[in-house]
Amino acid sequence: MAKKLVSLENIVFKYEGQTRNAVDHVSFDIYEGEWLALVGHNGSGKSTLAKLLNGLQFPQEGSILVNGTELTEETVWEARSKIGMVFQNPDNQFVGATVQDDVAFGLENAGIPLPEMVKRVQNALNKVKMGSFLNQEPHHLSGGQKQRVAIAGVIALQPDLIILDEATSMLDPRGREEVLETVRELKEENLLTVISITHDLEEAAKADRMIVMNEGKLYRQGIPTDIFQMEGELIELGLDIPFSVKLSKEFKEHGIGLVKSHLTEEELVRELCELHSKM
Amino acid sequence: MRITLQDVEYRYQINTPFEHLALHDVNIDIEPGSYTAIIGHTGSGKSTLLQHFNALLKPTKGSVTIGDRRIESGRKEKELRGIRSNVGIVFQFPEHQLFEETVEKDICFGPMNFGASEKDAKDRARKALKQVGMAEEILEKSPFDLSGGQMRRVAIAGVLAMEPDVLVLDEPTAGLDPRGRMEIMDMFYQLHKERGISTILVTHSMEDAARYADEIIIMHRGTVFKKGTPLDIFSQPEQLLELGLDVPDTVRFQLKLQKELGIRFERICLSVDDLVSEVKTVMGRGNQ
Ligand SMILES: Nc1ncnc2c1ncn2[C@@H]1O[C@H](COP(=O)(O)OP(=O)(O)OP(=O)(O)O)[C@@H](O)[C@H]1O
Ligand SMILES: Nc1ncnc2c1ncn2[C@@H]1O[C@H](COP(=O)(O)OP(=O)(O)OP(=O)(O)O)[C@@H](O)[C@H]1O
Ligand SMILES: [Mg+2]
Ligand SMILES: [Mg+2]
């Protein structure tokens, strides 16, 4: 098994003045180089977990270890330099007056020399297809364009860990797939670790591992195939199952003689073809 | 209420070095009681277009007619409140429409601004919260102390509480969990059916466009590329893919299966039921 990058140990977090814990005794590990999908109903504590991982909030109980070092007010800067986060609402993240300033901002803070910086900014914006918007004001972009720029901001930083908090929710389906593919490539090239918070279960199905949150608690963790075995249980948790799983079930219920379960459409197509050729 | 756009053009920051042509030559007719889905690539002008439906943006050329009000470029408009109370917009980012201290005040703001009594507004707020699947206990919370999906629900509740004749929805399900997405889309459809509310939905979900809309409008580079029924639009998947768009997941699956089997189904499958029945036929088990 790969090395542990981050460990959460029995984390409890409650927002000021609230009665309920937003995160309630949660423990899990994040392994180097994995793609971890974090799913759960609205208000289940996903974004709060992201803020805790990035040291924007500190837990009232429990501890978070990053590379073995506990995340505290003292160590947070060091840890944050290795973590890139894309927030749920990109407007909360923009600081620069233009798209290129905005992407450069993090690099400037990290003390990257100018020539290198210029290269990285252009490169990151090209990767998300925003290379021709360098001088536009970030707040004057369309919703999907804003999300692309926010993602370029963390790509340029070349962090060890990227946290995407519903970072592609406003992209068209093809755009979403392209951007995620770009992040997957970076992950392969650079041993990047990715935590993706998402309501898109098709996307989660492609993760190495999944964590299901429910009412602030960790409900289940495992590989997607195992998680999606829960079917009805997932639906009760406010979630859903991927299209191919649903379709495979429908086909079986209507007397089509499939025997396997299908996490991807390709697998389902394949078994249908096998069946067809045997007729 | 009918909404008609004639030869609409919209330029952001007109007459500045940052001028940007976002819409041009747009002609659209939204019939009373219809359900229209607008789809299109990132930056194609959908959100800009939507803001013309309640005169938040005024065309820089052409005209927009909303009910009996005609909005033209270059003319000062006064008293747009009538329009604003009849046409409710759910914005792409919920934060853009939340501003009060508490959720309750936020939802009550619209109705009270348009003449409802405080008591009536509070009743409406409770009802609207229920429609979006939220518990009353959050009424006293600040709308900014909520999760993303909870904010989205409150923003939708605020628009529902105005009881508009026309609902304009800009990706209203972004940020909602899968169950919320389904429940809230069904709720909008119920309102549309039962109360005849005209509904205009911008969405990246081709499934929702196929399931709910009478007409789909494809925006491309700031203008209307094509209009048609879901069947018209999704019967030509190649064209959509060329535009960088997608087809509903049932159609995508159908295309993959057809390719592997080397056959063509009788029709385009816009629902799972269609797909199941076509596949049964192909697999030779059609009459069980
Ligand atoms: N700033 C805040 N102040 C008080 N309570 C908050 C704040 N932010 C979130 N909460 C509450 O904490 C709980 C967890 O919120 P969180 O944002 O972590 O949920 P989430 O899983 O990210 O949900 P979503 O899918 O809607 O984004 C919710 O009940 C929410 O209302
Ligand atoms: N305030 C603004 N000032 C200048 N240009 C803008 C402004 N808002 C949007 N634009 C530009 O106008 C074009 C259309 O934007 P719009 O927001 O209408 O797109 P959209 O179709 O809604 O995209 P998305 O699917 O990403 O939300 C984009 O190229 C965008 O960069
Ligand atoms: Mg969240
Ligand atoms: Mg938009």
Side-chain angles (χ1 to χ4, degrees), chain A residues 142-144 170, chain B residues 43 45-48 92-93 170-171 202 204:
Chain A
S142 81
M170 286 175 190
Chain B
K46 304 180 297 297
S47 297
T48 309
Q92 190 163 8
F93 293 100
D170 199 350
E171 294 184 48
V202 165
H204 287 309

mmCIF file of all heavy atoms in Angstrom, chain A residues 142-144 170, chain B residues 43 45-48 92-93 170-171 202 204, ligand 4:
data_model
loop_
_atom_site.group_PDB
_atom_site.id
_atom_site.type_symbol
_atom_site.label_atom_id
_atom_site.label_comp_id
_atom_site.label_asym_id
_atom_site.label_seq_id
_atom_site.Cartn_x
_atom_site.Cartn_y
_atom_site.Cartn_z
ATOM 1 N N SER A 142 -17.883 34.093 -17.484
ATOM 2 C CA SER A 142 -19.068 33.246 -17.301
ATOM 3 C C SER A 142 -18.778 32.249 -16.184
ATOM 4 O O SER A 142 -17.616 32.064 -15.783
ATOM 5 C CB SER A 142 -19.393 32.519 -18.603
ATOM 6 O OG SER A 142 -18.568 31.384 -18.751
ATOM 7 N N GLY A 143 -19.824 31.588 -15.680
ATOM 8 C CA GLY A 143 -19.672 30.668 -14.560
ATOM 9 C C GLY A 143 -18.635 29.583 -14.826
ATOM 10 O O GLY A 143 -17.748 29.326 -14.006
ATOM 11 N N GLY A 144 -18.725 28.956 -15.974
ATOM 12 C CA GLY A 144 -17.805 27.876 -16.295
ATOM 13 C C GLY A 144 -16.381 28.383 -16.497
ATOM 14 O O GLY A 144 -15.410 27.717 -16.124
ATOM 15 N N MET A 170 -20.134 23.647 -12.820
ATOM 16 C CA MET A 170 -20.785 24.495 -13.818
ATOM 17 C C MET A 170 -20.207 24.347 -15.213
ATOM 18 O O MET A 170 -20.442 25.182 -16.078
ATOM 19 C CB MET A 170 -20.732 25.945 -13.371
ATOM 20 C CG MET A 170 -21.719 26.134 -12.249
ATOM 21 S SD MET A 170 -21.675 27.712 -11.545
ATOM 22 C CE MET A 170 -22.715 27.401 -10.128
ATOM 23 N N GLY B 43 -19.608 29.955 -21.810
ATOM 24 C CA GLY B 43 -19.342 31.252 -22.429
ATOM 25 C C GLY B 43 -20.162 31.538 -23.668
ATOM 26 O O GLY B 43 -19.934 32.539 -24.355
ATOM 27 N N GLY B 45 -23.186 32.505 -23.873
ATOM 28 C CA GLY B 45 -24.103 33.632 -23.702
ATOM 29 C C GLY B 45 -25.398 33.309 -22.975
ATOM 30 O O GLY B 45 -26.302 34.145 -22.925
ATOM 31 N N LYS B 46 -25.485 32.149 -22.368
ATOM 32 C CA LYS B 46 -26.739 31.723 -21.738
ATOM 33 C C LYS B 46 -27.137 32.617 -20.565
ATOM 34 O O LYS B 46 -28.277 33.073 -20.494
ATOM 35 C CB LYS B 46 -26.617 30.264 -21.257
ATOM 36 C CG LYS B 46 -26.219 29.291 -22.355
ATOM 37 C CD LYS B 46 -26.099 27.876 -21.842
ATOM 38 C CE LYS B 46 -25.026 27.666 -20.784
ATOM 39 N NZ LYS B 46 -23.636 27.918 -21.217
ATOM 40 N N SER B 47 -26.203 32.869 -19.666
ATOM 41 C CA SER B 47 -26.549 33.685 -18.493
ATOM 42 C C SER B 47 -26.847 35.126 -18.904
ATOM 43 O O SER B 47 -27.720 35.780 -18.338
ATOM 44 C CB SER B 47 -25.416 33.668 -17.461
ATOM 45 O OG SER B 47 -25.219 32.356 -16.990
ATOM 46 N N THR B 48 -26.124 35.603 -19.891
ATOM 47 C CA THR B 48 -26.376 36.957 -20.398
ATOM 48 C C THR B 48 -27.788 37.027 -20.976
ATOM 49 O O THR B 48 -28.544 37.963 -20.713
ATOM 50 C CB THR B 48 -25.336 37.302 -21.493
ATOM 51 O OG1 THR B 48 -24.035 37.044 -20.986
ATOM 52 C CG2 THR B 48 -25.454 38.754 -21.917
ATOM 53 N N GLN B 92 -27.065 31.755 -11.435
ATOM 54 C CA GLN B 92 -26.102 30.661 -11.512
ATOM 55 C C GLN B 92 -25.366 30.477 -10.170
ATOM 56 O O GLN B 92 -25.151 29.357 -9.741
ATOM 57 C CB GLN B 92 -25.097 30.975 -12.629
ATOM 58 C CG GLN B 92 -24.191 29.829 -12.977
ATOM 59 C CD GLN B 92 -23.521 30.032 -14.330
ATOM 60 O OE1 GLN B 92 -23.619 31.103 -14.933
ATOM 61 N NE2 GLN B 92 -22.834 29.026 -14.803
ATOM 62 N N PHE B 93 -24.992 31.569 -9.526
ATOM 63 C CA PHE B 93 -24.344 31.483 -8.216
ATOM 64 C C PHE B 93 -25.306 31.974 -7.151
ATOM 65 O O PHE B 93 -25.663 33.148 -7.145
ATOM 66 C CB PHE B 93 -23.065 32.322 -8.179
ATOM 67 C CG PHE B 93 -21.982 31.786 -9.061
ATOM 68 C CD1 PHE B 93 -21.750 32.334 -10.311
ATOM 69 C CD2 PHE B 93 -21.207 30.704 -8.658
ATOM 70 C CE1 PHE B 93 -20.754 31.827 -11.141
ATOM 71 C CE2 PHE B 93 -20.215 30.197 -9.476
ATOM 72 C CZ PHE B 93 -19.993 30.755 -10.721
ATOM 73 N N ASP B 170 -31.068 29.416 -13.872
ATOM 74 C CA ASP B 170 -29.728 29.316 -14.446
ATOM 75 C C ASP B 170 -28.952 28.209 -13.724
ATOM 76 O O ASP B 170 -28.419 28.423 -12.640
ATOM 77 C CB ASP B 170 -29.012 30.660 -14.320
ATOM 78 C CG ASP B 170 -27.826 30.768 -15.272
ATOM 79 O OD1 ASP B 170 -27.447 29.744 -15.877
ATOM 80 O OD2 ASP B 170 -27.280 31.887 -15.410
ATOM 81 N N GLU B 171 -28.919 27.053 -14.320
ATOM 82 C CA GLU B 171 -28.276 25.884 -13.697
ATOM 83 C C GLU B 171 -28.670 25.727 -12.229
ATOM 84 O O GLU B 171 -27.818 25.711 -11.344
ATOM 85 C CB GLU B 171 -26.759 25.994 -13.820
ATOM 86 C CG GLU B 171 -26.320 25.899 -15.256
ATOM 87 C CD GLU B 171 -24.806 25.914 -15.368
ATOM 88 O OE1 GLU B 171 -24.167 25.155 -14.620
ATOM 89 O OE2 GLU B 171 -24.286 26.670 -16.185
ATOM 90 N N VAL B 202 -31.707 26.987 -17.979
ATOM 91 C CA VAL B 202 -30.374 26.804 -18.541
ATOM 92 C C VAL B 202 -29.772 25.606 -17.846
ATOM 93 O O VAL B 202 -29.778 25.533 -16.614
ATOM 94 C CB VAL B 202 -29.480 28.035 -18.314
ATOM 95 C CG1 VAL B 202 -28.019 27.691 -18.560
ATOM 96 C CG2 VAL B 202 -29.894 29.167 -19.237
ATOM 97 N N HIS B 204 -26.731 22.188 -18.039
ATOM 98 C CA HIS B 204 -25.721 21.359 -18.696
ATOM 99 C C HIS B 204 -26.150 19.898 -18.664
ATOM 100 O O HIS B 204 -25.421 19.027 -19.121
ATOM 101 C CB HIS B 204 -24.366 21.515 -18.008
ATOM 102 C CG HIS B 204 -23.720 22.832 -18.290
ATOM 103 N ND1 HIS B 204 -23.573 23.309 -19.572
ATOM 104 C CD2 HIS B 204 -23.203 23.772 -17.474
ATOM 105 C CE1 HIS B 204 -22.975 24.486 -19.524
ATOM 106 N NE2 HIS B 204 -22.750 24.791 -18.267
HETATM 107 MG MG MG C 4 -23.751 31.002 -17.203
#
